[in-house]
Amino acid sequence: MADVRIAQDWKSVLGEEFEKPYFDRLVSFVKSEYATGEVFPAGRNIFRAFDKCPFDKLKVVIIGQDPYHGPGQANGLCFSVGAGVPFPPSLQNIFKEVASDIGTPIPPTGELDRWAEQGVLLLNAVLTVRAHAAASHSGQGWEQFTDAVVRAIAQRKEGIVYMLWGSYAQKKGAIADPTRNLILKAVHPSPLSAYRGFFGCKHFSAANDYLTAQGKEPILW
């Protein structure tokens, strides 16, 4: 079994995946990529989305596609960047929608740790990427692993809010039962599509209304 440095609660949920042949192949590929070139995020941050969002606190799942591939951007949480890093366009649009939906001002930093710590799993479909080469680590096994993550959540939990932005995320989240969870769909927040229905989707207030109705603490977006 690959020795995966991931939070223990998630390790017990996902343990079977780490014993499968595809995961061994994935680990070999990722190790050789880090050894021979520049890869994001930093190795210690590959599973950071899980480390920051305990399984028992999970309330919301947001699915991204690929880590940012520019220097200093990817930090292991989808759409998030570290303090002092300029907001990528999609993140800027997410903050704009939060502001117009619930009135939270645009924050000074693009770090989304505060969301994760409240129970928002910020999950990219692929967890690593070669510098300046979008989708360079797709098709290597990450998608199979993150499908298993979504499946494990769908099987073990209900009353979860899934925010599925764009067709890729919607396909990945299709396993979640809409009768037992809240499935929110919109176009992707990228500048190419945000004006076609991401702006005005009001997903953040809808998520909080749903959580509150279940007696859960709403997210401080």
Side-chain angles (χ1 to χ4, degrees):
M1 174 176 172
D3 181 31
V4 177
R5 282 175 297 188
I6 189 171
Q8 195 55 48
D9 54 346
W10 284 99
K11 200 169 204 172
S12 57
V13 169
L14 301 169
E16 282 178 20
E17 293 306 303
F18 304 137
E19 296 176 24
K20 292 181 179 174
Y22 88 86
F23 200 85
D24 276 341
R25 290 193 297 273
L26 172 61
V27 168
S28 299
F29 167 77
V30 169
K31 278 183 174 167
S32 99
E33 286 283 289
Y34 275 93
T36 56
E38 194 176 14
V39 176
F40 303 126
R44 68 182 179 281
N45 289 336
I46 293 174
F47 294 104
R48 192 160 169 268
F50 303 93
D51 300 338
K52 284 281 169 189
C53 176
F55 188 74
D56 65 348
K57 280 180 73 171
L58 182 68
K59 298 175 183 174
V60 179
V61 177
I62 297 178
I63 296 176
Q65 196 160 345
D66 212 29
Y68 295 125
H69 53 80
Q73 290 184 308
N75 66 7
L77 308 180
C78 73
F79 296 110
S80 175
V81 292
V85 178
F87 299 169
S90 292
L91 181 58
Q92 211 161 351
N93 289 339
I94 290 168
F95 286 150
K96 280 182 189 167
E97 176 58 23
V98 171
S100 81
D101 183 8
I102 56 177
T104 305
I106 290 176
T109 148
E111 280 186 306
L112 299 180
D113 294 34
R114 60 199 171 81
W115 291 7
E117 288 159 4
Q118 295 176 77
V120 181
L121 181 66
L122 293 153
L123 179 69
N124 272 319
V126 175
L127 300 189
T128 55
V129 70
R130 206 176 299 142
H132 312 297
S136 49
H137 286 187
S138 62
Q140 298 291 339
W142 277 132
E143 295 93 339
Q144 191 173 340
F145 172 69
T146 52
D147 278 348
V149 173
V150 178
R151 191 165 58 247
I153 294 167
Q155 287 168 351
R156 288 171 169 80
K157 290 192 174 281
E158 54 183 66
I160 299 293
V161 180
Y162 292 82
M163 292 185 173
L164 306 177
W165 301 331
S167 57
Y168 186 92
Q170 286 163 22
K171 196 172 159 201
K172 201 163 186 74
I175 191 169
D177 183 348
T179 65
R180 295 168 57 223
N181 303 279
L182 178 63
I183 314 293
L184 298 173
K185 296 180 183 179
V187 296
H188 195 276
S190 97
L192 299 172
S193 54
Y195 287 95
R196 298 205 307 269
F198 181 76
F199 290 135
C201 70
K202 299 195 179 301
H203 280 185
F204 302 96
S205 57
N208 279 353
D209 290 348
Y210 180 76
L211 293 171
T212 303
Q214 295 185 76
K216 296 179 186 172
E217 282 288 313
I219 306 293
L220 296 171
W221 299 107

